[in-house]
Amino acid sequence: MVTVSRRSLGQLMSVCAAAALTITAFTLEARADVVTGEAAPAFSVQTATGEALSLDSLSGRTVVLEWTNHGCPYVQRHYGSEHIQKLQSAAAEDDVVWVQIISSAPGEQGYVEAEEALSLNEERGAAPAHVVLDPEGDLGRLYDARTTPHMYVIDGDSVLQYAGAIDDQPRPRADSPEPTDYVTMALTAVGNGESPDPAQTQPYGCNVKYAY
């Protein structure tokens, strides 16, 4: 018969509770005011280069919002393979506005100041149209951004058309099939005046490092 001390049992219960919270964080339903097919939450922010940027100012153009954290292994994989750089380049050719957003809080993984954020993109050959620093997490919480990466596609009428993962392969292997690129699919659908299918997927990656 195995005897478990109260202390060990308490530690085990704490671990189980923490694991349950982690799972819950990735399975909660999206906030009621962040719904695909409905108006995207309006925002007004300042970019890393000091420009004013609002959703209203982008009216008439398709917009991609990309939540990122350069220290996250999932983000590193997509930038290391130049997947995101290719998406950004294709978006620019189609006059799509790509907005990269960093919601990591000071002292947390991925936190950068404006100069470093811009330098990182230059080093990686990345070219988002705008970079937005969101250390207080206001914009991230407004959109219910949960992971890095977490992707959103908004059409020219400011309707949120897609929200979720960048593709369908969180942990690809050497023998994995070609990934389904949800962002490209959504942009193609929006460009054709259609609704993306799927319009929402489960995001994967590192938790957004919000200030608490």
Side-chain angles (χ1 to χ4, degrees):
M1 180 176 180
V2 179
T3 303
V4 180
S5 69
R6 291 185 178 180
R7 181 178 179 182
S8 297
L9 182 60
Q11 291 174 335
L12 178 60
M13 291 177 68
S14 295
V15 170
C16 291
L21 285 173
T22 300
I23 293 171
T24 301
F26 286 92
T27 56
L28 289 172
E29 293 297 323
R31 280 174 37 180
D33 52 348
V34 185
V35 180
T36 55
E38 297 186 6
F43 61 82
S44 182
V45 296
Q46 186 176 39
T47 70
T49 54
E51 303 167 288
L53 181 71
S54 67
L55 187 58
D56 285 345
S57 71
L58 302 175
S59 179
R61 302 176 68 183
T62 301
V63 178
V64 173
L65 303 182
E66 170 214 350
W67 261 265
T68 191
N69 161 5
H70 74 280
C72 171
Y74 293 89
V75 171
Q76 291 172 353
R77 172 165 64 84
H78 283 288
Y79 273 99
S81 65
E82 298 191 349
H83 179 204
I84 291 181
Q85 293 93 319
K86 291 173 183 176
L87 290 177
Q88 292 171 343
S89 178
E93 290 178 4
D94 292 334
D95 197 34
V96 172
V97 183
W98 191 289
V99 183
Q100 182 189 72
I101 303 164
I102 304 170
S103 292
S104 294
E108 299 289 344
Q109 182 192 66
Y111 173 78
V112 290
E113 305 253 351
E115 185 176 349
E116 185 178 359
L118 298 174
S119 294
L120 279 168
N121 281 328
E122 185 175 354
E123 291 169 8
R124 297 179 295 191
H130 302 284
V131 178
V132 173
L133 304 181
D134 179 42
E136 298 300 322
D138 295 335
L139 184 55
R141 291 189 176 93
L142 180 67
Y143 272 81
D144 197 26
R146 303 180 184 191
T147 64
T148 51
H150 196 159
M151 311 297 299
Y152 299 78
V153 175
I154 303 168
D155 69 18
D157 294 321
S158 298
V159 173
L160 180 61
Q161 292 288 354
Y162 174 76
I166 192 168
D167 63 23
D168 67 343
Q169 292 192 14
R171 296 181 178 84
R173 301 176 308 206
D175 60 347
S176 294
E178 193 70 18
T180 298
D181 194 319
Y182 293 132
V183 175
T184 296
M185 289 173 60
L187 288 173
T188 299
V190 170
N192 292 332
E194 302 169 351
S195 297
D197 183 17
Q200 186 169 343
T201 61
Q202 188 69 35
Y204 68 81
C206 306
N207 290 331
V208 176
K209 312 303 182 187
Y210 287 119
Y212 289 103

